[in-house]
Amino acid sequence: MQVTIRLFAGLRDIAGAADLVREVPAGATVEQAWQGLAGEFPAMAPHRASLSAAVNAEYARFTRALAAGDEVVFLPPVSGG
Amino acid sequence: MPQTPLGITLDEPDVRALIRLVTASDGQPPGRDGAIVTFLGTVRGENLGRRVVELEYQAYEPLAVRAFGVIAAEIADAWPEARVALHHRIGTLRPGDVSVAIAAASPHRAEAFKACRYAIERIKQIAPIWKREVFDGGEAWIEGSTADPSDSAARQAAYERACR
């Protein structure tokens, strides 16, 4: 199934894109989507410990199962203000 | 500019508009509030000993607006008579520019001050907003908190900063 991955800040710079559409296995978790992404962009892998995630514009845990068409967002440490 | 109390904007936040939004947000007659506290966050021209040229802000807007809603609900929980309106700017900002504006209103000043301080502390903790600092000699994404609205220790820390 396909999911849309949105990236911000340093992750966006690494990918060179704000949005990616990627194939993940049916029932894949947020963590599995991340593993696929980190495999494609190894420079992202060290960021894992400080990331949070969102699915369809709601904060989500990495154990969350994805559905086809979901929008998955990986959020580096925030710095608003 | 957003016409809603909680929003992301490409333009300079308008504190007078925020005051109107926070005092008129629920159809109550005027005169309920005895205090309105405003906060403007501005781009500082020096950071970590380096001269800041500009800051580039990004936001994940739908989640940022929801995070602002979480913050407003937490304020209603902590100080039931206080309300906030806040707009955060994105895009490229230069030293002196306003990046965020908050207006907090309450019948009494103590709660308005606390609510305003709490709002900026929580924005820094949980709003999915990022800034890249371009400085003399380089650039870097600034990394603050790992965003987790369910982190009760972070929420408590923001509350204590607001109340001390």
Side-chain angles (χ1 to χ4, degrees):
Chain A
M1 64 183 188
Q2 287 193 327
V3 296
T4 298
I5 297 172
R6 292 191 71 183
L7 300 169
F8 291 92
L11 298 180
R12 180 180 293 186
D13 292 349
I14 292 169
D19 303 278
L20 302 168
V21 176
R22 289 293 181 269
E23 189 73 25
V24 296
T29 61
V30 171
E31 181 69 44
Q32 287 173 284
W34 169 258
Q35 293 301 333
L37 190 67
E40 183 177 348
F41 302 102
M44 289 188 187
H47 290 264
R48 172 64 182 85
S50 62
L51 291 182
S52 43
V55 176
N56 302 333
E58 302 223 37
Y59 281 105
R61 304 205 175 277
F62 278 76
T63 51
R64 157 95 173 246
L66 296 171
D70 276 353
E71 177 180 87
V72 187
V73 186
F74 295 108
L75 308 163
V78 298
S79 53
Chain B
M1 192 198 75
Q3 298 304 310
T4 51
L6 308 172
I8 295 290
T9 176
L10 287 164
D11 307 314
E12 168 139 359
D14 178 348
V15 71
R16 291 195 171 276
L18 282 171
I19 289 169
R20 281 194 297 276
L21 287 164
V22 79
T23 54
S25 57
D26 57 3
Q28 295 276 326
R32 172 181 41 160
D33 297 312
I36 300 167
V37 172
T38 58
F39 171 84
L40 299 179
T42 56
V43 176
R44 194 173 56 245
E46 176 278 330
N47 191 37
L48 304 172
R50 55 206 192 197
R51 192 179 72 83
V52 175
V53 177
E54 61 188 30
L55 296 179
E56 177 202 333
Y57 284 86
Q58 288 178 2
Y60 179 32
E61 183 165 347
L63 187 59
V65 173
R66 284 189 180 178
F68 296 162
V70 167
I71 293 167
E74 290 173 353
I75 285 169
D77 188 45
W79 303 285
E81 293 187 303
R83 283 150 286 114
V84 291
L86 68 97
H87 290 167
H88 200 299
R89 192 176 181 183
I90 57 171
T92 301
L93 277 64
R94 294 183 176 280
D97 286 347
V98 175
S99 56
V100 59
I102 303 168
S106 181
H108 300 286
R109 65 186 180 281
E111 291 74 19
F113 274 109
K114 289 173 185 172
C116 193
R117 177 73 192 267
Y118 183 84
I120 185 60
E121 298 297 333
R122 287 297 270 164
I123 288 168
K124 286 177 170 285
Q125 288 177 343
I126 67 168
I129 300 172
W130 301 268
K131 61 185 167 227
R132 187 209 311 263
E133 181 185 302
V134 179
F135 54 90
D136 264 351
E139 56 182 51
W141 286 100
I142 306 299
E143 297 203 331
S145 303
T146 294
D148 179 4
S150 64
D151 180 348
S152 57
R155 182 177 173 182
Q156 181 64 25
Y159 181 81
E160 286 169 9
R161 277 186 212 120
C163 291
R164 73 186 175 203

